[in-house]
Amino acid sequence: MMRHDEEAVIDRGRTSNTVSIRYEKEELEGHRTLYVGAQMPLVRQSHRHHRRHGQKHRKGEPEKDSAPTEQGYHCSPSQRVQFILRTKEDEQHVPHRLFSELAEICVKEGQDAEWKETARWLKFEEDAEDGGERWSKPYVGTLSLHSLSELRSCISNGTVLLDVCANSIEEELHFMKKIPTGAEASNVLVGELDFLHQPIMAFVRLSPAVLLSGMTEVPIPTRFLFVLLGPEGKGHQYHEIGRSMATIMTDEVFRDVAYKAKNGADLVAGVDEFLDQVTVLPPGEWDPSIRIEPPKNVPSQEKRKMPGALDDSASHSTLEKHGGPELQRTGRLFGGLTLDVKRKAPWFWSDFRDGLSLQCLASFLFLYCACMSPVITFGGLLGEATNGHISAMESLLGASMAGVVYSLFAGQPLTILGSTGPVLVFEKILYKFCKEYTLSYLSLRACIGLWTAFLCIVLVATDASCLVCYVTRFTEEAFASLICIIFIYEALEKLSHLRDTYPVHTHSKLDFLTSYYCKCEAPTHPSNETLRFWESNKINVSGIAWENLTVTECRYLHGEFQGPACGRDGPYTPDVFFWCCILFFATFALSSFLKKFKTSHYFPTSVRSTVSDFAVFLTIVIMVLLDFVVGIPSPKLHVPHAFKPTRDDRGWFINPIGPNPWWTVLAALVPALLCTILIFMDQQISAVIVNRKEHKLKKGCGYHLDLFMVAVMLGVCSVMGLPWFVAATVLSITHVNSLKVESDCSAPGEQPKFLGIREQRVTGLLIFALMGCSVFFTSVLKFIPMPVLYGVFLYMGVSSLRGIQFFDRLKLFWMPAKHQPDFIYLRHVPLRKVHFFTVIQLICLVLLWTIKVSRAAIIFPLMVLALVFVRKAMDLCFSKRELSFLDDLMPERKKKLDDGRNEAGEEEESQKAMEAATAANPKAKQ
């Protein structure tokens, strides 16, 4: 067996293993009694060693009822094909993937005729280039209507032999890695002979499929043979008919018809149905010599197989639900939570088995580095806002505890927990309030946290997460876009702040560099604060050699920097700032390049996939090594090196009452209500984005269970004096994107198909477990430059924007109509309505941004909630059809939904009755 992830062996275009063959006119006289498995003079010979197997015989079976044409009334080719495909399959007529090969008779001057392989098809056409030294790049084969018409005539008038027995001959392994498991061969043999006066044709289906010596370049059993020979002078015509036959055999519908056909008429119906689907390109408006590149996505052919199948536009009229049964209200206390547990329990152990892959290792290493910096940064900001009561050490411990428990027991472990801006604003306001009224900050915060956890559990008990069904794409994209933009903005802002720490002298003169200096001096006019510092530390100013002090010592002693090479807060260090810029943008560019390396044309598939999976981690390693080699002192990641609370006057357990009055326990309920809305909205909107149907999740989700685990850990973190953590949107989107699973490309030119997400608990568990152990890795983590992590933030923000429809629609404002992409909503919604929808979404996004960066950031979750009502009001401006393409339809009352289902059922029954009546009375069509 060949592994699917191995690179296909490149066939250098051996046209075929051929030997000279002499033809006698008498050998072709009986072409209508063509024997397969006995002597067949036109089959090419192979140089491979082989041995013969015993001939297998199979008794013929009586022909079953064929398509309705034989029953006295007419039907369209499409209806006949659908009838054939619905017939019951037996073991010998199950359709397989087909490898088609076209061989033609080649006659060289002074030599005998021989078979030469000229083209092959697995999914797309590949031609043997001139000289037969290599195969062409796969391309979409274009056929002429004349050749298809000739092919139909050949099948109608030629010999059709179905379920013929043949000898099996074993061959060596060759070129097998491109062939999918279970595939069979279809051989097309065409050519011209000087002693023929009219063409002869035979179409043969073997039963069972057998290995035929020299028939194909790969040792797979042959199922179909198509032989077309004719007089000289029409070689190009025979070649095109052969191409048409090989191409039509790769068509999914005709291939199934060929397997199930009972007679030649069924095959003709398959050709007619294929012709019904053909699109004609008018001559003079395109160049037939251009090879069309294989498409990235091939539309499904199911609507050709099944009557009444919906097309893309019709499918948009159905209501889309984010979680299906997960968001159905049960009407029982903790009913939704119970169903979530029952739904996820069968998958629990598979969540760990599925995490044992190289892709998960790459995701873990990437996300660990991506999560560490914001957690530490958030802790540092909290430390500044709370005077060290909660700082980096508490942030690391809280993130590790909450993340590990959530990854183990949550309903959707793909969600990554993190800190949010509104929580930081709330902490600042609460600390300032406690300081003004001399209350214990940590105790009051513990009360608020416990109340918030209780209220969240109440929401879980009442199935409040079912309200998530009102959060449509409109709200999701506004929220996700804002968070992505904030990531990008903060990454650039942090880079610009480095210029304050490492100032640049913008007006220096190169000729005076030798006279530039910056030295420390005693302040000429010390402030009162400086005088108090000197006095309290008993510093003798006159006894200090100021000019010999380092930058750190000068700042500690409140000295002043003097000289032409001094900035506002110290000496100019232009090399550090510009080196930080290089690291920042190089990290972003290299991460993006390596992530796209999977689609490049270099190296085998396994190498490209591995590099793509480890793109960000490889980038971080390369940048760290580069920074170490260059040696410029860029700012590095600082991790707490001791496992203990930041302040010595606090422990790991906080008394909810403490020194505060008893009434603060009750008063804490008021701010807890606001915190509950904050936690609920942040958690559930991020969960909705992760659980979208585009991700093709197979193990279901658990909104109630997710919120319950967040509530439990929120209470634990409150009692321990640790920060609160909820779902982080950008980190969760990045986690999901890093675990995408695509199909292995077997056929040359075939694009990989998105299969879903690798759903597991291992990556999240390892990320947060290692985060808790980071205090023991400070000797390694201290080499990571902060600009590199800022570049990773920029990459995550930009990459998370891909696939957001809002930004695609935003670009349409500056794009002429003739250059606009072929989006499905542009086909069915007027452009002015699309722009109107985008403008409303843009206004909401600007308002959210304004609130987010202002002092009113604490009410940000309320404004996100307001988007749901804005979207509901848009039902007055747009029709349901327009909203079904631009957004998700809002849920309606149950009665309306039931009425809609009943009407659809009645329409379907009525349509079936009409089809039955039409079939029974064919004259009604005329």
Side-chain angles (χ1 to χ4, degrees):
M1 293 287 291
M2 292 293 162
R3 292 201 324 236
H4 291 292
D5 57 350
E6 290 182 351
E7 175 68 4
V9 175
I10 298 177
D11 190 317
R12 296 301 180 186
R14 291 195 324 168
T15 54
S16 66
N17 293 324
T18 58
V19 296
S20 299
I21 304 174
R22 297 182 180 275
Y23 301 100
E24 299 296 339
K25 182 176 180 180
E26 292 78 6
E27 292 180 309
L28 296 172
E29 293 292 339
H31 66 274
R32 289 191 175 274
T33 57
L34 183 66
Y35 290 96
V36 179
Q39 182 180 6
M40 185 176 175
L42 293 181
V43 175
R44 66 181 186 184
Q45 302 299 316
S46 172
H47 291 300
R48 302 186 184 95
H49 298 288
H50 58 267
R51 69 176 186 269
R52 290 183 176 272
H53 290 264
Q55 184 173 3
K56 296 181 180 179
H57 298 278
R58 180 172 177 265
K59 294 182 179 181
E61 296 181 358
E63 186 174 301
K64 300 180 182 178
D65 292 338
S66 186
T69 305
E70 299 178 0
Q71 299 176 4
Y73 60 88
H74 300 283
C75 61
S76 67
S78 176
Q79 291 173 326
R80 178 163 185 154
V81 165
Q82 290 169 1
F83 178 88
I84 296 171
L85 298 182
R86 291 198 302 270
T87 58
K88 188 176 180 180
E89 300 173 351
D90 57 27
E91 184 179 351
Q92 294 299 327
H93 296 87
V94 177
H96 297 263
R97 286 285 295 271
L98 285 178
F99 169 68
S100 298
E101 186 175 287
L102 174 62
E104 301 180 52
I105 295 177
C106 177
V107 181
K108 296 183 180 179
E109 186 176 353
Q111 299 181 11
D112 295 327
E114 62 182 12
W115 287 111
K116 179 180 179 182
E117 184 181 7
T118 57
R120 66 185 183 191
W121 290 256
L122 185 54
K123 179 73 173 179
F124 301 101
E125 182 173 351
E126 296 175 85
D127 294 337
E129 304 288 9
D130 291 340
E133 293 297 328
R134 73 183 189 104
W135 288 105
S136 70
K137 187 177 180 181
Y139 66 95
V140 178
T142 53
L143 309 174
S144 66
L145 279 178
H146 179 73
S147 63
L148 288 171
S149 177
E150 291 287 331
L151 173 63
R152 184 186 187 281
S153 177
C154 287
I155 296 177
S156 299
N157 303 319
T159 301
V160 175
L161 302 176
L162 302 179
D163 299 336
V164 177
C165 294
N167 286 341
S168 178
I169 303 172
E170 188 177 285
E171 295 192 8
E172 294 179 6
L173 176 67
H174 176 63
F175 188 50
M176 280 297 294
K177 292 184 180 179
K178 292 183 179 181
I179 310 298
T181 304
E184 297 177 339
S186 169
N187 295 99
V188 179
L189 307 170
V190 300
E192 51 184 357
L193 297 172
D194 54 2
F195 55 80
L196 290 179
H197 301 292
Q198 62 181 8
I200 58 175
M201 190 285 298
F203 179 90
V204 183
R205 182 178 70 199
L206 304 181
S207 181
V210 293
L211 289 169
L212 298 178
S213 174
M215 191 64 72
T216 58
E217 62 174 300
V218 286
I220 59 176
T222 295
R223 173 70 71 169
F224 297 99
L225 290 169
F226 178 83
V227 182
L228 174 61
L229 300 173
E232 290 183 331
K234 295 185 178 181
H236 178 71
Q237 181 179 349
Y238 302 152
H239 171 76
E240 289 301 318
I241 295 175
R243 284 185 64 244
S244 299
M245 186 70 237
T247 301
I248 201 173
M249 289 301 291
T250 63
D251 178 67
E252 182 179 336
V253 176
F254 183 83
R255 178 196 65 199
D256 293 357
V257 171
Y259 270 97
K260 298 183 177 183
K262 300 297 186 297
N263 50 43
D266 289 349
L267 294 174
V268 172
V271 175
D272 289 339
E273 193 278 338
F274 181 86
L275 287 170
D276 288 344
Q277 306 296 326
V278 166
T279 301
V280 178
L281 293 175
E285 297 185 13
W286 74 297
D287 185 0
S289 64
I290 295 177
R291 292 174 174 174
I292 303 175
E293 289 286 334
K296 292 184 177 180
N297 296 304
V298 179
S300 173
Q301 303 300 310
E302 290 302 318
K303 62 183 179 182
R304 293 172 59 191
K305 299 180 181 181
M306 301 297 295
L310 294 176
D311 56 13
D312 292 338
S313 60
S315 64
H316 274 76
S317 62
T318 59
L319 288 175
E320 176 183 337
K321 298 181 181 180
H322 295 300
E326 295 92 343
L327 295 179
Q328 295 293 327
R329 189 178 295 276
T330 62
R332 302 188 307 272
L333 206 61
F334 290 103
L337 177 63
T338 303
L339 291 179
D340 282 352
V341 173
K342 291 181 179 179
R343 187 182 303 111
K344 298 299 293 186
W347 301 102
F348 186 75
W349 295 115
S350 69
D351 285 342
F352 294 95
R353 291 194 300 270
D354 294 343
L356 302 177
S357 71
L358 198 63
Q359 185 182 25
C360 291
L361 176 62
S363 176
F364 151 63
L365 294 174
F366 164 33
L367 266 299
Y368 168 71
C369 298
C371 293
M372 273 292 294
S373 181
V375 167
I376 294 175
T377 303
F378 180 77
L381 294 175
L382 262 181
E384 295 176 2
T386 64
N387 195 24
H389 284 86
I390 301 177
S391 193
M393 186 65 246
E394 289 78 12
S395 184
L396 272 177
L397 180 60
S400 178
M401 288 177 50
V404 167
V405 174
Y406 188 89
S407 298
L408 282 174
F409 304 111
Q412 184 49 272
L414 295 175
T415 305
I416 297 294
L417 299 187
S419 50
T420 63
V423 170
L424 178 61
V425 175
F426 174 80
E427 299 280 9
K428 289 181 178 179
I429 295 174
L430 180 62
Y431 181 78
K432 185 177 180 181
F433 174 82
C434 293
K435 190 175 182 180
E436 289 179 357
Y437 293 93
T438 62
L439 297 173
S440 172
Y441 160 69
L442 290 178
S443 295
L444 182 59
R445 180 181 180 276
C447 291
I448 296 173
L450 290 174
W451 275 117
T452 303
F454 171 75
L455 293 175
C456 287
I457 292 176
V458 171
L459 293 178
V460 173
T462 56
D463 291 350
S465 295
C466 294
L467 298 175
V468 170
C469 63
Y470 289 93
V471 178
T472 64
R473 181 186 290 272
F474 175 86
T475 305
E476 294 170 31
E477 291 193 341
F479 182 80
S481 300
L482 176 65
I483 303 302
C484 292
I485 292 173
I486 289 176
F487 251 69
I488 297 171
Y489 172 78
E490 289 185 349
L492 296 172
E493 184 185 38
K494 286 181 172 64
L495 179 67
S496 65
H497 284 171
L498 292 177
R499 184 168 182 175
D500 298 332
T501 309
Y502 307 98
V504 178
H505 191 191
T506 56
H507 300 289
S508 60
K509 297 181 180 179
L510 300 181
D511 198 34
F512 292 94
L513 289 179
T514 55
S515 62
Y516 286 155
Y517 66 91
C518 182
K519 62 182 180 179
C520 182
E521 296 180 353
T524 54
H525 303 286
S527 63
N528 292 332
E529 179 184 357
T530 300
L531 292 174
R532 286 194 299 270
F533 173 78
W534 288 344
E535 182 179 356
S536 61
N537 291 276
K538 298 179 180 181
I539 296 175
N540 184 8
V541 179
S542 59
I544 298 175
W546 293 92
E547 65 277 3
N548 296 329
L549 296 179
T550 63
V551 174
T552 303
E553 293 170 343
C554 185
R555 287 172 176 165
Y556 172 74
L557 294 175
H558 292 211
E560 292 181 351
F561 295 97
Q562 298 293 333
C566 291
R568 183 173 54 189
D569 298 319
Y572 290 125
T573 52
D575 51 346
V576 176
F577 173 71
F578 289 122
W579 177 241
C580 291
C581 293
I582 292 174
L583 290 175
F584 176 80
F585 290 107
T587 299
F588 171 74
L590 187 58
S591 298
S592 303
F593 171 75
L594 293 180
K595 194 64 180 177
K596 297 178 181 177
F597 194 70
K598 189 174 184 178
T599 58
S600 70
H601 301 289
Y602 303 99
F603 300 104
T605 301
S606 58
V607 175
R608 298 199 307 265
S609 299
T610 303
V611 171
S612 179
D613 291 339
F614 286 85
V616 179
F617 179 73
L618 288 175
T619 299
I620 294 175
V621 172
I622 292 172
M623 291 296 114
V624 168
L625 294 176
L626 184 63
D627 179 74
F628 179 78
V629 172
V630 173
I632 296 178
S634 58
K636 302 297 192 295
L637 176 66
H638 174 70
V639 181
H641 58 278
F643 185 76
K644 64 176 184 178
T646 305
R647 289 174 61 112
D648 296 332
D649 59 350
R650 60 151 292 180
W652 290 122
F653 177 78
I654 307 300
N655 188 342
I657 299 180
N660 293 337
W662 64 268
W663 54 264
T664 57
V665 176
L666 300 178
L669 180 61
V670 177
L673 291 171
L674 183 61
C675 287
T676 302
I677 298 175
L678 185 154
I679 298 296
F680 182 84
M681 294 301 296
D682 270 359
Q683 172 65 34
Q684 300 296 41
I685 291 182
S686 299
V688 166
I689 295 173
V690 170
N691 293 325
R692 280 199 68 86
K693 67 174 184 178
E694 286 86 351
H695 293 152
K696 298 182 179 180
L697 302 179
K698 299 177 179 63
K699 298 183 180 180
C701 50
Y703 293 96
H704 310 280
L705 182 56
D706 289 344
L707 185 59
F708 179 77
M709 297 312 304
V710 168
V712 170
M713 292 312 300
L714 190 145
V716 173
C717 290
S718 299
V719 172
M720 295 185 64
L722 307 177
W724 301 333
F725 292 91
V726 294
T729 306
V730 172
L731 291 174
S732 299
I733 294 174
T734 305
H735 189 211
V736 170
N737 290 338
S738 68
L739 294 171
K740 286 184 176 179
V741 179
E742 294 180 336
S743 62
D744 298 315
C745 297
S746 296
E750 185 178 9
Q751 297 292 332
K753 296 179 181 178
F754 173 64
L755 302 179
I757 305 298
R758 195 179 298 277
E759 302 173 64
Q760 39 74 47
R761 300 178 183 270
V762 175
T763 51
L765 182 62
L766 292 179
I767 288 168
F768 291 105
L770 190 61
M771 188 179 296
C773 301
S774 296
V775 291
F776 306 110
F777 306 143
T778 53
S779 59
V780 177
L781 297 175
K782 67 180 181 181
F783 289 104
I784 301 179
M786 289 303 296
V788 172
L789 296 180
Y790 300 157
V792 172
F793 294 163
L794 179 65
Y795 167 78
M796 290 194 298
V798 172
S799 61
S800 298
L801 288 177
R802 300 192 188 105
I804 295 182
Q805 189 193 88
F806 167 69
F807 286 93
D808 294 333
R809 287 187 274 105
L810 204 59
K811 290 185 288 187
L812 296 177
F813 282 102
W814 298 275
M815 196 179 296
K818 63 180 180 180
H819 296 302
Q820 291 175 356
D822 187 23
F823 294 133
I824 186 67
Y825 51 83
L826 290 179
R827 297 183 182 183
H828 303 279
V829 182
L831 186 60
R832 56 183 177 83
K833 284 293 192 74
V834 175
H835 287 335
F836 183 41
F837 187 90
T838 307
V839 167
I840 296 175
Q841 206 169 9
L842 180 61
I843 292 174
C844 294
L845 180 61
V846 172
L847 291 176
L848 287 177
W849 171 268
T850 304
I851 294 171
K852 183 81 171 178
V853 299
S854 67
R855 294 182 177 180
I858 196 171
I859 67 169
F860 172 75
L862 294 176
M863 299 309 298
V864 175
L865 181 62
L867 292 182
V868 177
F869 298 97
V870 173
R871 168 61 183 83
K872 185 64 177 176
M874 292 172 65
D875 288 344
L876 303 175
C877 307
F878 298 87
S879 67
K880 287 188 176 182
R881 174 178 169 79
E882 292 169 342
L883 289 175
S884 68
F885 286 99
L886 294 172
D887 191 31
D888 308 325
L889 293 178
M890 295 284 283
E892 300 182 18
R893 288 181 300 178
K894 184 177 184 299
K895 182 177 181 304
K896 292 185 178 180
L897 293 176
D898 292 340
D899 291 344
R901 294 191 190 98
N902 293 337
E903 290 178 4
E906 291 175 0
E907 284 186 13
E908 186 177 356
E909 291 179 2
S910 176
Q911 184 178 2
K912 289 181 179 178
M914 291 181 63
E915 291 178 355
T918 304
N921 185 15
K923 294 182 179 180
K925 292 183 179 181
Q926 301 175 355

